[in-house]
Amino acid sequence: MTQKEQDKLGKTLWAIADNLRGAMNADSFRDYMLSFLFLRYLSHNYEESAKKELGSDYPKPIERTEKVFNEETNETEEITVVTSPLSIWYAENSEDITEFEKQMRRKVHFVIRPEHLWSHISELARTQDKDLLMTLSEGFRYIENESFENSFQGLFSEINLDSEKLGKTYVERNKRLCTIISKIANGIEGELTIDNDDLGNAYEYLIGQFAAGSGKKAGEFYTPQKISNILSEIVILDSQDPATGKKNKLDKVFDMACGSGSLLLNVRKKMSAQEPKGTIGKIYGQENNVTTYNLARMNMLLHGIKDTEFEIFHGDTLKNQWDVLNEMNPSRKTEFDAIVANPPFSLRWTPNDAMAEDFRFKSYGLAPKSAADFAFLLHGFHFLSNEGTMAIILPHGVLFRGGQEEKIRTKLLKDNNIDAVIGLPSNLFYSTGIPVCILVLKKCKKEDDVLFINASEHYDKGKRQNSLDESHIEKIVDAYKFRKEEERYSRKVSMEEIAKNDYNLNISRYVSTAEDEIPVDLEEVNKSLTSINEQIEKKTKEHNEFLKELGLKTI
């Protein structure tokens, strides 16, 4: 599918979402829309694999005519009902179902029963079947608990099929779901032939559109793609010598505030795009918001990542509730080759006395209650491998605020762990208009200086939101990769100079974007003013002569 067709698909689906949500707010309808796209993805993938597995035994769909009573017209009508191939095969081969499903689990890692497939659900919607709502509820429960080897309990927990926003009665809710699903099915199966990658791209497009409409709430689950590209390009470079290019493999990648998982997916995309193709062993993410946590799990599966290739945990990062990250034995500690993060900016938190002894914070001290920025940073940094790179988006305050944050910043600098500070333009995010920065950290850093990149003046101005184009991203990554120095843009700063500034990392101290003042030649200015005065005096005399001739009062 071309980019133009992808854009058309995304806009078609967004128009459907915008028109159908009715009494629901955008956040609520998002969960329905994205869940139905997710079901369509799984179903399409499963049916295509089943078709290959069964070969010539895969039956053709059967059409039949049924008479139904139309309540709106108060008349009986004939409709064509289609029975899907997999439903036919299951009915004719009941003794072979168990072995077939075992084989499907080996090949595609999951199973969906024929009655729960999107093709069947959308057919129920098209024919306004009264059992749609009940069948959909059963299908969601089956996918959560039985489809995958690893249970995905609660995956659809945010979708309330009994919500009065869908309708006050079962019949009203069923009818509305029929309308919504039919519209989505028509939008997906319209003029374009859509494969799984295209639907994955459409899913990302919709997440972005819902984020744009969610204002400040969007910061909880979405990092704009262009900013995500910068972090992804940086962390996949060789950590000791970025100029040599990208790594061929990352064993483990982590995002401790993963939202919808867009950052993690972007790292995977950048690894796959290189030649030869790079690989990632396993993706790890943590998310505290249950709605967003479910969104992230769907997003991983929808982008073709097997359930054994990722692990998303629902829990509080600052309290470190994930057992995987609580191993006290240093030799068994989980470490990551790449860490990316866009945690909530300056989140208020409540550290207790016990946290002062927490292995993540003990050597640095606790971030202040008013801003957990450094708490997120130190959490991720603790689990960074010696050969890994971490890139985290934070507000500018972490660069210069005093108190405990100054102590944490100073230790990181003295230990030579801060590799680069990248200043971005303001108003790039859906959630805030403030300018932010990217901190790049390493445990075993080659250079003994800090690279500052001031990209605050390099952006495309928009009506509501600014954006970065490919040239802006390439310039930032190129400056980081080759540690370039450019006037009013980037500069390598020694630790001695940073120490003299009391370990203040305010970017403008080191890389100012202000233009140099043009030297003023006072003698030339004086000559020019004298000449101007002489001209004024001459013209005034001429003017007065004309006034005298006319008998008027002179100036």
Side-chain angles (χ1 to χ4, degrees):
M1 182 182 280
T2 65
Q3 186 61 49
K4 186 176 180 180
E5 288 173 325
Q6 283 184 14
D7 291 343
K8 180 180 178 181
L9 172 62
K11 289 175 182 177
T12 298
L13 292 174
W14 175 246
I16 292 170
D18 203 34
N19 290 333
L20 287 179
R21 66 185 179 92
M24 288 189 189
N25 61 41
D27 288 342
S28 297
F29 193 78
R30 175 195 69 209
D31 301 325
Y32 287 84
M33 186 78 178
L34 296 180
S35 294
F36 293 148
L37 288 183
F38 173 68
L39 177 60
R40 193 274 185 187
Y41 167 84
L42 288 181
S43 300
H44 178 80
N45 197 4
Y46 189 75
E47 286 181 293
E48 288 297 307
S49 298
K51 189 175 182 180
K52 291 178 183 178
E53 179 65 24
L54 296 173
S56 58
D57 292 333
Y58 193 74
K60 292 182 179 180
I62 296 176
E63 294 186 1
R64 68 182 188 278
T65 302
E66 288 187 1
K67 292 183 178 181
V68 296
F69 181 73
N70 189 322
E71 293 181 358
E72 292 183 359
T73 62
N74 206 29
E75 293 179 355
T76 300
E77 299 176 351
E78 285 191 349
I79 61 169
T80 301
V81 180
V82 181
T83 304
S84 69
L86 214 51
S87 294
I88 298 168
W89 188 89
Y90 264 64
E92 295 176 350
N93 299 273
S94 57
E95 70 281 359
D96 298 325
I97 291 174
T98 301
E99 188 56 37
F100 169 75
E101 290 187 347
K102 282 183 180 179
Q103 185 66 7
M104 292 301 287
R105 287 189 190 280
R106 283 193 288 269
K107 291 198 169 183
V108 293
H109 290 256
F110 66 94
V111 166
I112 301 182
R113 291 288 169 84
E115 63 270 25
H116 303 145
L117 290 165
W118 174 258
S119 56
H120 182 67
I121 296 294
S122 59
E123 181 66 8
L124 292 180
R126 184 185 69 82
T127 58
Q128 296 283 308
D129 195 290
K130 66 181 186 305
D131 293 330
L132 169 68
L133 196 157
M134 181 179 65
T135 306
L136 190 60
S137 297
E138 291 172 352
F140 282 169
R141 282 196 297 271
Y142 184 86
I143 292 171
E144 287 180 335
N145 300 305
E146 299 183 54
S147 279
F148 295 88
E149 182 180 335
N150 296 321
S151 173
F152 283 95
Q153 289 185 5
L155 191 63
F156 301 100
S157 62
E158 297 303 295
I159 302 170
N160 182 7
L161 295 176
D162 294 323
S163 171
E164 287 197 359
K165 291 179 180 178
L166 285 172
K168 291 184 178 181
T169 66
Y170 176 94
V171 173
E172 288 177 352
R173 291 193 292 275
N174 193 79
K175 187 175 181 180
R176 180 150 172 74
L177 281 171
C178 285
T179 301
I180 293 171
I181 292 171
S182 294
K183 290 285 186 181
I184 294 173
N186 291 337
I188 293 174
E189 317 298 348
E191 302 173 4
L192 307 173
T193 302
I194 301 166
D195 62 26
N196 289 337
D197 287 339
D198 297 325
L199 199 60
N201 292 333
Y203 196 84
E204 282 289 315
Y205 176 88
L206 284 176
I207 289 175
Q209 290 298 105
F210 279 116
S214 297
K216 292 182 179 180
K217 293 181 182 178
E220 296 177 6
F221 66 89
Y222 191 72
T223 302
Q225 202 70 216
K226 297 299 177 67
I227 301 173
S228 180
N229 286 344
I230 300 171
L231 275 72
S232 301
E233 291 280 7
I234 286 173
V235 299
I236 67 175
L237 292 170
D238 184 273
S239 57
Q240 288 301 303
D241 192 358
T244 60
K246 300 173 182 177
K247 293 180 178 180
N248 294 321
K249 184 178 181 181
L250 297 171
D251 286 328
K252 296 184 181 75
V253 179
F254 179 46
D255 183 346
M256 82 285 289
C258 69
S260 65
S262 60
L263 258 172
L264 290 168
L265 287 168
N266 209 313
V267 175
R268 180 176 180 267
K269 181 180 178 182
K270 296 297 180 184
M271 286 291 288
S272 300
Q274 65 191 54
E275 292 292 342
K277 187 176 180 179
T279 59
I280 293 176
K282 193 168 183 177
I283 287 173
Y284 294 80
Q286 183 162 356
E287 176 54 45
N288 196 33
N289 181 298
V290 66
T291 304
T292 314
Y293 158 68
N294 288 331
L295 196 61
R297 293 191 292 172
M298 287 185 196
N299 210 3
M300 293 292 143
L301 292 166
L302 196 139
H303 280 82
I305 305 178
K306 296 182 177 66
D307 61 321
T308 54
E309 295 174 340
F310 74 90
E311 193 168 345
I312 308 293
F313 180 76
H314 176 227
D316 191 328
T317 294
L318 299 177
K319 294 178 181 177
N320 201 21
Q321 297 174 331
W322 197 356
D323 289 342
V324 169
L325 304 180
N326 265 305
E327 176 57 58
M328 301 304 294
N329 187 338
S331 64
R332 296 172 61 185
K333 184 179 79 169
T334 302
E335 292 186 330
F336 302 97
D337 303 313
I339 297 177
V340 288
N342 176 25
F345 301 150
S346 299
L347 179 74
R348 293 192 67 85
W349 70 312
T350 53
N352 52 42
D353 292 340
M355 278 189 172
E357 296 300 313
D358 189 294
F359 53 77
R360 299 167 295 164
F361 311 131
K362 188 174 181 179
S363 300
Y364 300 88
L366 295 172
K369 293 179 181 180
S370 59
D373 302 311
F374 269 117
F376 281 108
L377 182 150
L378 291 175
H379 175 90
F381 187 67
H382 177 79
F383 299 105
L384 184 67
S385 71
N386 287 336
E387 295 300 317
T389 302
M390 174 178 172
I392 182 170
I393 302 170
L394 293 171
H396 274 252
V398 301
L399 303 177
F400 54 79
R401 289 192 296 240
Q404 189 55 43
E405 289 182 297
E406 182 181 351
K407 293 178 182 177
I408 296 171
R409 185 172 63 244
T410 298
K411 178 167 174 55
L412 287 168
L413 286 164
K414 286 183 175 179
D415 291 347
N416 201 26
N417 294 140
I418 297 180
D419 185 43
V421 180
I422 304 169
L424 298 178
S426 60
N427 204 29
L428 291 177
F429 285 81
Y430 299 118
S431 55
T432 179
I434 65 169
V436 298
C437 64
I438 299 171
L439 286 185
V440 182
L441 298 100
K442 297 175 182 178
K443 286 190 173 176
C444 297
K445 203 178 93 183
K446 182 179 176 182
E447 287 80 9
D448 58 359
D449 54 36
V450 176
L451 176 67
F452 285 82
I453 299 174
N454 193 342
S456 60
E457 303 295 323
H458 299 257
Y459 62 92
D460 291 331
K461 188 171 180 60
K463 290 182 179 179
R464 295 184 178 178
Q465 191 174 0
N466 297 327
S467 62
L468 303 175
D469 63 28
E470 292 305 318
S471 66
H472 299 137
I473 296 169
E474 186 178 340
K475 186 176 177 67
I476 291 171
V477 175
D478 201 48
Y480 172 80
K481 183 177 180 179
F482 298 105
R483 230 161 173 79
K484 286 183 178 180
E485 293 190 285
E486 181 181 327
E487 190 176 0
R488 293 192 297 278
Y489 188 76
S490 58
R491 180 179 164 228
K492 293 183 288 187
V493 181
S494 69
M495 289 306 303
E496 289 78 14
E497 183 177 346
I498 293 172
K500 287 178 182 177
N501 281 296
D502 298 321
Y503 298 97
N504 186 314
L505 295 180
N506 198 347
I507 300 171
S508 59
R509 285 195 177 210
Y510 306 101
V511 183
S512 174
T513 59
E515 295 279 354
D516 293 336
E517 290 187 10
I518 301 171
V520 177
D521 188 330
L522 293 177
E523 288 188 10
E524 285 297 318
V525 171
N526 187 56
K527 288 179 182 178
S528 178
L529 289 173
T530 302
S531 175
I532 291 170
N533 285 331
E534 289 174 351
Q535 288 292 320
I536 291 172
E537 189 176 342
K538 180 181 177 182
K539 294 299 180 181
T540 300
K541 286 181 179 179
E542 291 178 357
H543 186 66
N544 281 334
E545 288 300 320
F546 289 127
L547 291 174
K548 284 179 182 179
E549 290 179 9
L550 294 170
L552 298 174
K553 186 178 179 181
T554 59
I555 298 172

